[in-house]
Amino acid sequence: MQSLDTWQQLLTDAGSALLERCSALDLGHPGAAEVLRRTHPPELVAAAIELTLARKQAVPKFGSLAQTIFADRQGLQMASSLKSAQHKAQRFKGLGQPVLDLCCGIGADALAFTQAGILVTAIDIDPVRAWMTQQNAGCDTSVGDVTRADLPDGLAHIDPQRRAVEGSRHLPRLTDLIPSFDWVRTLIENRTGACIKLFPGVAFDALPPGEVELVSERGRLRQALHWSGCLAEHARTATSLTHRMSISGSPGPADLGIVGPFLHTVDPAVERAELMGVLAEQTGLTSPHPSSGLLCGDQPHESGFLTPFELIADVVWQPKRARRLMRQLNAGIVEIKTRGGIVDPDRLQRELRGTGEERYTLFIQRFDREQRLFVTRRCHKTTLSLH
């Protein structure tokens, strides 16, 4: 990444003019950078291009603020979305105390804290990222190693970085975090309250006492949060940022019941937080199998955590039988939902797609030693109103 001095030059009139030129060019064209380097230093051009590309990619996370933030693409990738940061800020706001934002990155969380009227002090070891936070959040920001800094008492939010590990299939682990999780654990033990931003696959039994919250956005798991001290309110929580709703309670499975007549997929935050039992109890639904990730009932339920499907057929999974059944049901577009690698969803969707007018969703799952096929039709609002 370019030097701090170079990034700061983007605030000058010349830098603003360069950014305007970048926004008007096709930066994917190999000659775009060369055109800009004819009138500007190469480092400044590189920083301007990086910022322009980051702002374009920032729209899903920052919405209308995307065109005003300062960020590089790597920092943007590691940053919380504004919705996620605002969600966290509301819990901190309720205590009315200043907050330390440690390993602040480009400052998404610090921005949400300041928006909520919280006095925040941000620290990052990277001078460019600390400067970005100061620009984005307008808060007191300093450069330093948080493990060696003299940190004041009070509430803290920390977003440890993950050490780069070769191999795209490497799953994140607590041992990959910088600062080390041992240091983070010691930090929160000496705080009145803290929040650690972690990855969704974190091993719960490796965490210190506190509340674990799983957060989804647009139907995908985004992060796990560990709340401790006065900030911990429950054992587990699942939150859908898209639907602005949360469910909390003690982890446990749903009661088992029959398949159908309505199947419901469940927001991944609920299943990952092990709150299927809480959701099932609240809705009166049951689970057809402990590993299914589905809830069933006599009536369709639709909420931010549930998507209902009407069961059309329940048979043993056999490809030939499935093809024959799709022809009999006048199938057109076919959607495949599976788990455990039983089938290749993309290939099977192409194979089972017919010329008919009906659209079906097929669930293919392994129930103990048997593989099952549930042919379903997605329930729309008109369907729901009839039940």
Side-chain angles (χ1 to χ4, degrees):
M1 189 160 55
Q2 290 68 41
S3 67
L4 174 59
D5 178 67
T6 300
W7 279 89
Q8 289 174 328
Q9 289 179 49
L10 294 177
L11 293 176
T12 66
D13 290 342
S16 297
L18 177 57
L19 288 172
E20 285 188 18
R21 290 191 64 189
C22 283
S23 63
L25 291 175
D26 176 10
L27 297 179
H29 192 282
E34 182 60 34
V35 170
L36 297 172
R37 283 195 290 265
R38 292 172 188 169
T39 53
H40 295 83
E43 270 216 348
L44 185 60
V45 169
I49 289 176
E50 181 65 26
L51 177 56
T52 302
L53 293 174
R55 284 176 170 175
K56 288 181 178 179
Q57 294 179 8
V59 174
K61 282 190 172 184
F62 288 89
S64 61
L65 292 180
Q67 297 311 307
T68 61
I69 66 164
F70 281 83
D72 62 298
R73 284 173 288 177
Q74 184 183 39
L76 175 68
Q77 184 179 12
M78 295 186 294
S80 301
S81 71
L82 190 55
K83 279 187 179 180
S84 174
Q86 290 170 337
H87 170 71
K88 285 182 280 187
Q90 287 307 302
R91 193 178 294 204
F92 279 96
K93 182 180 180 180
L95 297 178
Q97 301 177 31
V99 176
L100 280 175
D101 187 17
L102 306 177
C103 307
C104 58
I106 67 169
D109 292 292
L111 170 59
F113 292 147
T114 57
Q115 286 179 334
I118 299 170
L119 182 63
V120 56
T121 300
I123 304 174
D124 199 277
I125 198 170
D126 186 325
V128 175
R129 297 263 169 77
W131 175 82
M132 289 175 174
T133 291
Q134 202 282 324
Q135 296 301 313
N136 294 331
C139 64
D140 182 16
T141 308
S142 61
V143 179
D145 182 345
V146 297
T147 65
R148 300 184 178 184
D150 184 14
L151 303 176
D153 295 333
L155 305 178
H157 170 271
I158 183 167
D159 182 2
Q161 296 183 14
R162 279 183 285 197
R163 184 181 291 105
V165 179
E166 293 185 5
S168 59
R169 295 186 178 181
H170 174 78
L171 296 176
R173 298 167 299 190
L174 289 176
T175 52
D176 297 331
L177 297 182
I178 304 173
S180 73
F181 195 70
D182 286 340
W183 181 86
V184 173
R185 185 192 298 270
T186 302
L187 170 78
I188 68 172
E189 287 175 351
N190 295 294
R191 297 269 139 194
T192 56
C195 176
I196 314 170
K197 177 184 168 185
L198 297 166
F199 43 91
V202 64
F204 298 150
D205 58 3
L207 299 177
E211 173 186 354
V212 179
E213 179 179 13
L214 277 297
V215 179
S216 72
E217 189 170 1
R218 297 188 296 277
R220 293 185 59 187
L221 273 176
R222 298 296 178 180
Q223 58 189 255
L225 305 174
H226 179 274
W227 301 95
S228 61
C230 60
L231 287 165
E233 298 176 350
H234 308 280
R236 295 276 173 84
T237 296
T239 294
S240 166
L241 295 176
T242 302
H243 297 94
R244 302 189 180 205
M245 61 189 304
S246 297
I247 185 173
S248 300
S250 299
D255 291 339
L256 296 179
I258 63 170
V259 177
F262 290 93
L263 276 62
H264 302 77
T265 55
V266 180
D267 186 283
V270 175
E271 187 174 6
R272 181 67 186 98
E274 301 175 340
L275 292 176
M276 293 285 282
V278 175
L279 182 59
E281 183 177 0
Q282 290 183 1
T283 56
L285 302 175
T286 58
S287 172
H289 190 273
S291 65
S292 70
L294 300 171
L295 293 177
C296 296
D298 295 332
Q299 304 292 333
H301 291 260
E302 186 169 30
S303 73
F305 291 131
L306 294 168
T307 302
F309 298 80
E310 182 180 8
L311 182 64
I312 306 301
D314 171 10
V315 297
V316 174
W317 162 244
Q318 293 177 347
K320 289 183 178 179
R321 173 180 286 181
R323 284 191 287 269
R324 183 170 62 251
L325 187 55
M326 289 299 95
R327 288 194 299 268
Q328 294 171 353
L329 292 172
N330 191 32
I333 296 176
V334 174
E335 176 187 23
I336 305 296
K337 292 183 178 291
T338 188
R339 53 174 56 193
I342 298 176
V343 297
D344 178 345
D346 294 333
R347 179 182 61 80
L348 192 59
Q349 282 175 181
R350 293 192 298 269
E351 291 181 0
L352 296 183
R353 181 170 183 168
T355 59
E357 300 177 352
E358 298 296 330
R359 180 169 185 161
Y360 295 101
T361 299
L362 275 55
F363 293 85
I364 304 171
Q365 296 196 351
R366 180 178 288 108
F367 284 12
D368 300 322
R369 297 182 179 180
E370 187 177 56
Q371 294 180 357
R372 302 278 291 278
L373 166 64
F374 304 133
V375 180
T376 72
R377 184 183 291 112
R378 187 181 291 266
C379 294
H380 299 289
K381 292 188 182 297
T382 54
T383 306
L384 292 172
S385 65
L386 297 176
H387 298 276

